[in-house]
Amino acid sequence: MAKRVYLFNEGSKDDRELLGGKGANLCEMTNLGLPVPFGFVITTPTCREFFEGGNKLPNLLEQEYRVALDLVEKQMDARFGDPENPLLFSVRSGAPVSMPGMMNTILNLGLNDEIAAGLARKTDNPRFAYDSYRRFIQMFADVVLDVDGEKFEHEISQYKSKHGKSLDTDMSAEDWQAIIEIFKGITDFPQDPFEQLKLAVEAVFLSWHTPRANVYREMNNIPVTLGTAVNVQAMVFGNFGEDSGSGVAFTRNPSTGERSFFGEFLFNAAGEDVVAGIRTPQPIESLRNRLPDVYDELYRTQALLEEHYRDMQDIEFTVQQGRFYMLQTRSGKRTGRASIKIAVDMVREELISEKEALMRVSPEHVEAFLHPMVDPAAKTDPVATGLPASPGGATGRVVFSADEAVAVNSDGTAVILVRRETTPEDIHGMKVAEGILTELGGMTSHAAVVARGMGVCAITGAGGLSIDYEAGTATTQDGIAIRRGDVITLDGTAGEVMLGDIPKTEASSSEDFQILLSWADKHRKLKVRANAETPEDAAKARELGAEGIGLCRTEHMFFDSERIDLMRAMILSDTKKERKKYLKQLLAFQHADMLALFKVMDGLPVTVRLLDPPLHEFLPHTEEDISALAQRLDKPAQAIRDSAEHLSEVNPMLGFRGCRLSVVYPEITAMQVRAIIGAAVEATEQGYKPFPEIMIPLVVNVREIRLISEIIDHGIHKALKEKSVSLTYKIGTMMETPRACLGADRLAPAVEFMSFGTNDLTQMTYGFSRDDAGRFIPQYLERKLIESDPFVSLDQRAVGRLMEMAISESRARKKGIKYGICGEHGGDPRSVRFCHDLGLDYVSCSPYRVPIARIAAAQANVDQERSN
Ligand code: PEP
Ligand code: MG
């Protein structure tokens, strides 16, 4: 039979699974020779046995812990249940994964009428004894007997007002005795200490399933099967008098990461008083002034613990009558900034390696350096929720159209653009907005992709909102009307909308952050490129470490208000001649843009995708839009209406896009190639080193690639004719349809690179429309029909398998093909890891995700090295 009970000197920090985090650390500290009040741990498998046995303690458990208890008595020189020399216990939960405050604790266990009187005699401190006893009754009744804690608090306040007392410190021993008598009228608790212990152990196990613990586990993906251990530890008392007290401390500052010991202390108080925040603790210096020897011991201990654990520690300690005791140590929670500073400092201090430092930071930590974030401490309840489309925090006045956004912002007023969904027509408003909130759309909808690209905070698919443009209101599910001009705050990292201006932390880089990123570059294999079109975005991407452009969506280059009509006119052209006229005008823009992009990306590859406009994003929808466009294009409204109708599609996301456009309108492709190669030639002539890669989107078979490659080759030939420059370029394809992946072996001979467009690939694998998925994905997640949003984190079992198959089969056919990914997944750490493991050459993501991808790629590599 497996051992169920471990004394504190029988385990170590490596026993987290078995003894829980708290138990393992108590054992470790005991072994280090620190002054830990002695005790024992009941293991986590015992918790599973308890549930499997129908919430009953295993038969021999009591015998086992009584043996341990005898040894604790010897060690502490006191006896459990002995009125003359009482030993009291704290009984606490402790899971393998930290779940702060989620489960139950009982203190002062082992007190009854007789023992309380004994404790009063022994300590010569009746006030302390009866205060402890009443606290025990309150906790025991609350945790074990399920009596509403409010009842006790109510009785205490009634008593106080009747007797003219206001603070707990005004209460004498006699007062607490009177209170205890009153409490006994409310609850009937066992006087037998062993019975108390048994019930307390059961209650701790049962607390594994309290609603708050269940919710916490779900939120943090903690498996329910882990179970909790029970820590039974001899009590020491911080509320013994003025030479006693309790404190919490961090070995470094948890908000800034500074290497300075940081803590708080409350004299004459139990640990629970510090944690509960009933009285305001004093800075730790107060302890140094009053009990310098204790402070010195504390200081030495914290330094030892940090060095031993090689991480910042969060410690709890108690001082009883001038004696110092350690109660807990664990890795301290910290802000994003602190986490990076601490990791980098610890490498400098030679405590950890660069690789370890990299493994200690998470993407959320990195985001704090890139975007302002909503301060978690200041957050209020959200009035609406949606998909966390683009991270960061933003506050502004609500506007309902792009024009309004520009108008209101003209004097610098921050605005939040609230739309049902966005289209390229909204770009000017999106550019000036602090944040974007849409009712519809998923994680790869227009609003999400564009906002992420610009680094603007966004929430999409906030389906609970109903937006009325006319009335200028967005009404929440609870009936709260958010009106035009109201100030709201978006938390794009959590997908939460709050009323008012919620404080945010500033974004700014730091030297430590740059150092960490340089280590990431040193320890990764996977390259990181960016998805960007404009020179500004490309420059940002390069600044953030992008090693090229993995996807330049050429249609995005025409989002600008000046150009969008030209693009529309081209799409709506009735004849080839008319189309060519507009193409010629577009060529000038395209050439200039490409030139600028090649200059910014000097020496690095730039993958330019041939035009792939989901046509519906460019067409006018409402009568108002149609007549406005008619006026601008100087065309009859009816003609526009007719063409729009002719081009309107039942399922536009699966529609007339990508290479299909090149097949039907080769002149568009010809113009683009001319612009791309012409610009590359010009850049070369000016002394830059452009590396254009022309990418054919949305293919389903090799014939499309061959046909379009011919147009491209022809265009290149023409553009290079009579030029003396030599240009290195590539032609490749985007893998966005399941058929392309399934037939990758046949595509291979015709391409030099394959870039997985996992947005469309996910859409087509699932049959979930990218634009509409936001309406149901939140429900799917809530009901656990899917584990995560497949548009955020790559579905490794389906989309990932398609990728794997495409790579292995195409590689078998042709060596030297480069593989990349340029869907939004390229910036998702889990997906980046998958791409690394699959052996891709690069990931491409929006500029602001580049640092996150760099770190994720390094983490994947370090992990792989470790497992080899
Ligand atoms: C994709 O489909 O993954 C992709 C990157 O292309 P887009 O998002 O422009 O369709
Ligand atoms: Mg696509």
Side-chain angles (χ1 to χ4, degrees):
M1 189 192 63
K3 186 172 159 71
R4 295 194 185 96
V5 178
Y6 284 71
L7 284 158
F8 285 178
N9 56 8
E10 292 180 320
S12 82
K13 71 176 188 324
D14 303 324
D15 295 320
R16 287 187 82 89
E17 285 276 315
L18 181 71
L19 304 179
K22 190 178 288 165
N25 284 334
L26 284 167
C27 292
E28 187 75 11
M29 288 196 292
T30 306
N31 296 338
L32 285 171
L34 294 177
V36 178
F38 205 48
F40 58 87
V41 190
I42 304 178
T43 64
T44 56
T46 315
C47 179
R48 287 194 284 277
E49 268 188 87
F50 172 80
F51 287 118
E52 281 158 16
N55 299 355
K56 272 180 57 192
L57 294 181
N59 276 339
L60 296 173
L61 179 67
E62 192 167 350
Q63 272 179 28
E64 283 179 62
Y65 69 64
R66 281 200 181 215
V67 173
L69 202 147
D70 282 346
L71 292 166
V72 176
E73 286 178 339
K74 285 207 179 77
Q75 183 70 234
M76 297 303 293
D77 197 19
R79 286 176 57 87
F80 188 59
D82 178 356
E84 297 317 313
N85 183 19
L87 173 63
L88 305 183
F89 283 122
S90 71
V91 181
R92 298 174 207 251
S93 60
V97 181
S98 159
M99 293 173 59
M102 287 302 131
M103 291 178 295
N104 291 332
T105 293
I106 299 161
L107 303 177
N108 304 337
L109 186 126
L111 280 172
N112 59 22
D113 295 351
E114 212 188 331
I115 296 171
L119 186 67
R121 277 195 306 278
K122 179 170 181 245
T123 58
D124 200 16
N125 191 342
R127 189 191 173 280
F128 155 74
Y130 291 108
D131 183 17
S132 301
Y133 189 22
R134 69 93 193 172
R135 285 176 193 252
F136 163 66
I137 301 173
Q138 273 180 272
M139 278 199 199
F140 193 86
D142 179 17
V143 172
V144 180
L145 307 172
D146 212 14
V147 181
D148 182 3
E150 256 312 296
K151 284 191 182 160
F152 299 102
E153 291 302 336
H154 176 75
E155 290 299 340
I156 295 177
S157 14
Q158 280 230 317
Y159 183 94
K160 280 183 183 165
S161 59
K162 205 162 129 198
H163 295 84
K165 322 230 161 185
S166 58
L167 300 173
D168 279 3
T169 41
D170 299 335
M171 299 281 278
S172 66
E174 291 70 32
D175 290 325
W176 288 129
Q177 276 178 298
I179 288 282
I180 289 161
E181 289 312 311
I182 299 171
F183 282 3
K184 284 191 196 158
I186 302 176
T187 179
D188 192 14
F189 66 95
Q191 289 276 317
D192 174 7
F194 285 95
E195 181 65 13
Q196 292 173 1
L197 179 57
K198 187 166 161 243
L199 291 173
V201 171
E202 284 176 0
V204 169
F205 282 151
L206 284 170
S207 73
W208 182 246
H209 281 302
T210 55
R212 68 171 195 261
N214 287 338
V215 170
Y216 187 89
R217 266 196 304 273
E218 256 171 44
M219 268 169 46
N220 294 284
N221 282 326
I222 300 172
V224 67
T225 47
L226 287 181
T228 181
V230 186
N231 300 290
V232 181
Q233 184 176 25
M235 284 292 301
V236 284
F237 299 95
N239 55 341
F240 209 88
E242 286 310 313
D243 56 356
S244 305
S246 297
V248 292
F250 290 88
T251 56
R252 301 189 186 214
N253 186 311
S255 17
T256 63
E258 269 340 295
R259 193 183 183 188
S260 59
F261 181 46
F262 175 89
E264 294 179 325
F265 191 76
L266 254 182
F267 282 97
N268 197 8
E272 49 180 337
D273 299 336
V274 183
V275 180
I278 303 167
R279 279 160 54 195
T280 311
Q282 297 167 5
I284 201 73
E285 282 65 38
S286 60
L287 182 65
R288 174 156 52 188
N289 298 338
R290 268 176 50 189
L291 300 171
D293 291 347
V294 171
Y295 179 86
D296 286 348
E297 193 174 354
L298 165 69
Y299 193 84
R300 277 198 308 276
T301 304
Q302 63 87 27
L304 182 143
L305 283 170
E306 188 180 271
E307 195 169 333
H308 182 73
Y309 282 93
R310 302 186 313 130
D311 196 6
M312 186 262 265
Q313 298 293 298
D314 164 0
I315 62 179
E316 287 181 22
F317 59 95
T318 285
V319 179
Q320 181 179 332
Q321 294 169 295
R323 263 190 79 181
F324 170 75
Y325 294 97
M326 272 304 297
L327 295 186
Q328 176 160 315
T329 188
R330 58 183 168 195
S331 279
K333 294 242 182 299
R334 58 205 85 176
T335 62
R337 281 192 171 270
S339 111
I340 286 173
K341 176 157 179 47
I342 292 171
V344 173
D345 280 350
M346 285 194 166
V347 174
R348 287 196 191 109
E349 294 158 22
E350 296 181 3
L351 267 180
I352 59 173
S353 68
E354 290 175 8
K355 289 181 185 176
E356 278 175 299
L358 283 164
M359 299 312 280
R360 291 215 179 152
V361 301
S362 70
E364 300 83 69
H365 292 149
V366 176
E367 264 157 21
F369 287 83
L370 304 170
H371 312 278
M373 304 288 271
V374 174
D375 182 353
K379 239 170 133 168
T380 56
D381 284 340
V383 291
T385 55
L387 300 170
S390 183
T395 298
R397 295 200 176 275
V398 169
V399 293
F400 287 100
S401 76
D403 290 345
E404 205 186 324
V406 173
V408 175
N409 176 253
S410 62
D411 65 357
T413 303
V415 297
I416 302 285
L417 177 60
V418 182
R419 299 285 299 164
R420 271 195 209 111
E421 60 195 334
T422 64
T423 69
E425 258 171 292
D426 298 317
I427 290 291
H428 56 301
M430 297 171 82
K431 267 190 189 156
V432 301
E434 288 292 307
I436 296 158
L437 169 63
T438 71
E439 180 185 335
L440 306 174
M443 291 295 283
T444 58
S445 61
H446 179 266
V449 171
V450 173
R452 256 196 309 273
M454 299 191 300
V456 171
C457 160
I459 297 174
T460 57
L465 283 181
S466 91
I467 297 175
D468 183 339
Y469 290 138
E470 295 248 300
T473 54
T475 309
T476 70
Q477 255 166 344
D478 298 333
I480 300 169
I482 301 172
R483 291 173 208 287
R484 171 177 284 125
D486 284 356
V487 172
I488 61 170
T489 296
L490 306 185
D491 181 345
T493 311
E496 292 174 347
V497 184
M498 283 142 298
L499 299 179
D501 182 354
I502 314 287
K504 282 162 286 306
T505 55
E506 283 302 314
S508 67
S509 188
S510 76
E511 202 190 319
D512 292 329
F513 182 45
Q514 295 306 331
I515 291 173
L516 189 83
L517 284 170
S518 72
W519 294 338
D521 294 345
K522 196 158 125 192
H523 298 291
R524 74 185 155 94
K525 290 204 189 91
L526 191 64
K527 293 224 174 275
V528 178
R529 298 192 190 181
N531 297 352
E533 295 79 40
T534 63
E536 301 83 59
D537 289 355
K540 186 81 210 170
R542 197 163 185 166
E543 180 194 321
L544 293 171
E547 296 160 298
I549 300 280
L551 173 64
C552 163
R553 292 174 163 107
T554 48
E555 66 282 358
H556 282 208
M557 297 171 129
F558 300 111
F559 277 170
D560 223 276
S561 49
E562 264 178 64
R563 303 174 181 193
I564 191 165
D565 281 352
L566 216 49
M567 180 79 176
R568 286 168 157 158
M570 191 273 288
I571 293 171
L572 294 167
S573 295
D574 303 317
T575 63
K576 196 165 182 161
K577 192 166 160 229
E578 192 184 350
R579 184 166 309 104
K580 281 197 158 169
K581 181 180 93 186
Y582 291 117
L583 279 172
K584 210 166 155 193
Q585 295 177 50
L586 287 171
L587 172 68
F589 287 123
Q590 184 103 86
H591 179 98
D593 288 349
M594 290 313 313
L595 182 60
L597 209 55
F598 288 138
K599 286 183 180 175
V600 174
M601 282 290 149
D602 185 26
L604 296 174
V606 176
T607 306
V608 189
R609 176 175 74 184
L610 296 177
L611 207 60
D612 178 19
L615 290 183
H616 68 298
E617 285 186 1
F618 284 85
L619 292 175
H621 296 286
T622 63
E623 265 308 309
E624 218 183 326
D625 289 346
I626 290 174
S627 48
L629 186 65
Q631 246 181 14
R632 291 203 302 271
L633 297 188
D634 197 19
K635 273 192 159 192
Q638 192 52 41
I640 297 211
R641 208 173 287 121
D642 289 347
S643 312
E645 198 169 306
H646 173 69
L647 285 172
S648 84
E649 293 180 293
V650 175
N651 199 340
M653 264 301 179
L654 297 177
F656 189 14
R657 313 167 46 193
C659 66
R660 300 155 204 176
L661 276 177
S662 302
V663 170
V664 179
Y665 303 121
E667 59 274 21
I668 299 180
T669 307
M671 177 283 279
Q672 289 205 283
V673 175
R674 215 171 133 193
I676 298 163
I677 301 299
V681 168
E682 196 176 331
T684 312
E685 285 168 348
Q686 291 179 23
Y688 294 92
K689 282 201 179 61
F691 291 101
E693 301 180 343
I694 298 178
M695 180 155 75
I696 308 171
L698 229 65
V699 302
V700 295
N701 70 26
V702 71
R703 291 184 206 174
E704 292 169 320
I705 298 182
R706 287 215 191 95
L707 177 79
I708 296 160
S709 290
E710 253 173 51
I711 306 169
I712 298 173
D713 285 338
H714 182 72
I716 293 177
H717 186 71
K718 236 167 101 178
L720 288 180
K721 208 165 71 182
E722 289 163 23
K723 298 280 177 190
S724 54
V725 298
S726 79
L727 196 65
T728 312
Y729 62 88
K730 282 186 181 161
I731 299 177
T733 189
M734 217 165 155
M735 306 293 281
E736 292 174 283
T737 66
R739 195 181 192 286
C741 293
L742 293 166
D745 56 334
R746 270 170 293 180
L747 305 191
V751 297
E752 287 162 285
F753 66 90
M754 289 183 173
S755 176
F756 291 92
T758 43
N759 300 335
D760 277 312
L761 196 54
T762 301
Q763 163 170 265
M764 292 189 218
T765 304
Y766 273 75
F768 285 0
S769 152
R770 290 163 60 172
D771 282 355
D772 303 314
R775 297 185 201 200
F776 55 82
I777 293 241
Q779 293 279 337
Y780 265 60
L781 289 170
E782 204 175 302
R783 295 184 184 192
K784 301 216 172 318
L785 298 178
I786 49 176
E787 260 165 42
S788 55
D789 184 340
F791 290 106
V792 177
S793 194
L794 198 114
D795 176 1
Q796 300 179 9
R797 286 165 103 193
V799 179
R801 272 173 70 185
L802 284 170
M803 290 170 66
E804 203 175 339
M805 177 190 294
I807 293 174
S808 77
E809 294 191 359
S810 58
R811 218 173 239 159
R813 263 309 273 286
K814 181 174 163 182
K815 296 274 166 286
I817 294 180
K818 293 278 179 213
Y819 297 94
I821 178 178
C822 61
E824 296 303 308
H825 304 94
D828 166 63
R830 257 175 61 192
S831 313
V832 170
R833 175 172 289 260
F834 177 75
C835 292
H836 168 273
D837 295 348
L838 209 56
L840 259 61
D841 296 287
Y842 65 88
V843 294
S844 189
C845 56
S846 49
Y848 284 90
R849 306 294 296 175
V850 167
I852 291 170
R854 285 161 72 192
I855 290 178
Q859 289 177 335
N861 197 33
V862 171
D863 255 354
Q864 196 180 48
E865 282 172 7
R866 281 184 182 172
S867 62
N868 282 345

